[in-house]
Amino acid sequence: MAERVNNFPPLPQFMRIKPCFYHNIEEEIPAPHMQLVRKVYILWMMYSGTLCMNVISCIAWWAGGGGATNFGYSLLWVILFSPCSYTCWFRPLYKAFRADSSFNFMSFFFIFFLQCVFAIIQTIGIPGWGTCGWMATVMFFSYNVGSAIVMLITTLLLTVVTVLMGLVLLRVHRLYRGGGGSFEHAKEEWSSGMWKNAPVREVGFNAVSTAQGPTLPQYPAAVPSYPDDTSHW
């Protein structure tokens, strides 16, 4: 049986640190949900890029007369939330669609809801919290217009990302509930231990992949069959 080598995050070969995850949407995600998972992945990249832009905006904020505290917090947010957002809410969604796991769906809903709340706080932009949101940007226009314009770019990006996060949360929840998923399914997976037996559940998939090349996993019949994701958002 061929072993799938971790390929994410893509790191140079000379580094001693190796990738932690196997990421292949085309191979592992069922075709009806491939587009949705790909969009959520793009959303994660947008959020990470926005956090990087927030660092630049906080430098402009600092240069225009703002405090250094915002710059320090902006570095903390990009270092903390870029990898954690991938691990804590994108991977559960990825595994949920890959193996029809109600437990991973519930993990995604819980963590991604907290992510949406934090994104709203970042968009508001409370001064001293390290994000160039609306409150901080509008207030700074009276101090330094040039810095405030740079801050406005991050504010607009945060607003777009926050709105898209809300749409994703609603879309995935409607898809999950439409397929008959519920909290009871997640509790059954937890009590039976199926949530941590993903390699066992994917033995058939790996065997077929070895013999016939990349294909889609065979899902257990006891798990809800989610409707096709044909709508646009």
Side-chain angles (χ1 to χ4, degrees):
M1 184 179 298
E3 181 180 357
R4 293 175 295 178
V5 180
N6 292 340
N7 58 2
F8 190 90
L11 299 172
Q13 294 292 332
F14 64 84
M15 294 186 64
R16 297 179 64 87
I17 302 175
K18 301 302 180 182
C20 303
F21 307 99
Y22 181 78
H23 179 99
N24 193 325
I25 295 176
E26 288 73 17
E27 176 183 329
E28 294 197 305
I29 305 301
H33 311 304
M34 193 181 299
Q35 185 179 16
L36 176 59
V37 175
R38 189 180 292 113
K39 286 180 178 179
V40 179
Y41 177 63
I42 294 174
L43 177 61
W44 169 75
M45 291 192 294
M46 288 179 58
Y47 181 61
S48 300
T50 300
L51 292 178
C52 293
M53 183 62 199
N54 181 62
V55 174
I56 299 175
S57 297
C58 284
I59 294 176
W61 191 0
W62 188 8
T69 304
N70 293 300
F71 172 68
Y73 275 121
S74 67
L75 286 178
L76 176 64
W77 300 148
V78 72
I79 294 173
L80 180 64
F81 281 98
S82 290
C84 288
S85 57
Y86 179 88
T87 305
C88 296
W89 55 260
F90 176 75
R91 285 301 297 183
L93 181 69
Y94 185 95
K95 292 187 290 185
F97 280 116
R98 182 185 67 185
D100 273 354
S101 171
S102 292
F103 178 82
N104 280 297
F105 270 113
M106 288 299 161
S107 298
F108 166 77
F109 290 139
F110 176 74
I111 298 172
F112 195 65
F113 175 77
L114 297 179
Q115 171 70 88
C116 290
V117 172
F118 189 79
I120 292 174
I121 296 174
Q122 289 179 314
T123 304
I124 293 173
I126 303 173
W129 284 41
T131 52
C132 300
W134 286 105
M135 184 183 298
T137 301
V138 172
M139 291 174 59
F140 208 69
F141 264 102
S142 60
Y143 294 95
N144 191 305
V145 176
S147 297
I149 292 176
V150 178
M151 294 167 62
L152 182 61
I153 298 174
T154 298
T155 301
L156 294 174
L157 290 174
L158 282 171
T159 303
V160 172
V161 168
T162 302
V163 171
L164 291 177
M165 284 182 176
L167 293 175
V168 165
L169 184 62
L170 293 175
R171 178 63 188 140
V172 176
H173 182 265
R174 183 169 58 183
L175 187 67
Y176 178 67
R177 295 294 293 176
S182 65
F183 185 67
E184 284 68 25
H185 286 101
K187 290 195 296 183
E188 290 176 4
E189 285 191 19
W190 174 266
S191 59
S192 62
M194 290 182 61
W195 64 277
K196 58 183 178 181
N197 291 331
V200 176
R201 298 170 63 184
E202 295 173 4
V203 166
F205 165 55
N206 292 333
V208 174
S209 298
T210 305
Q212 302 179 359
T215 182
L216 296 177
Q218 302 297 318
Y219 302 106
V223 183
S225 176
Y226 304 105
D228 293 349
D229 181 34
T230 56
S231 64
H232 299 282
W233 51 273

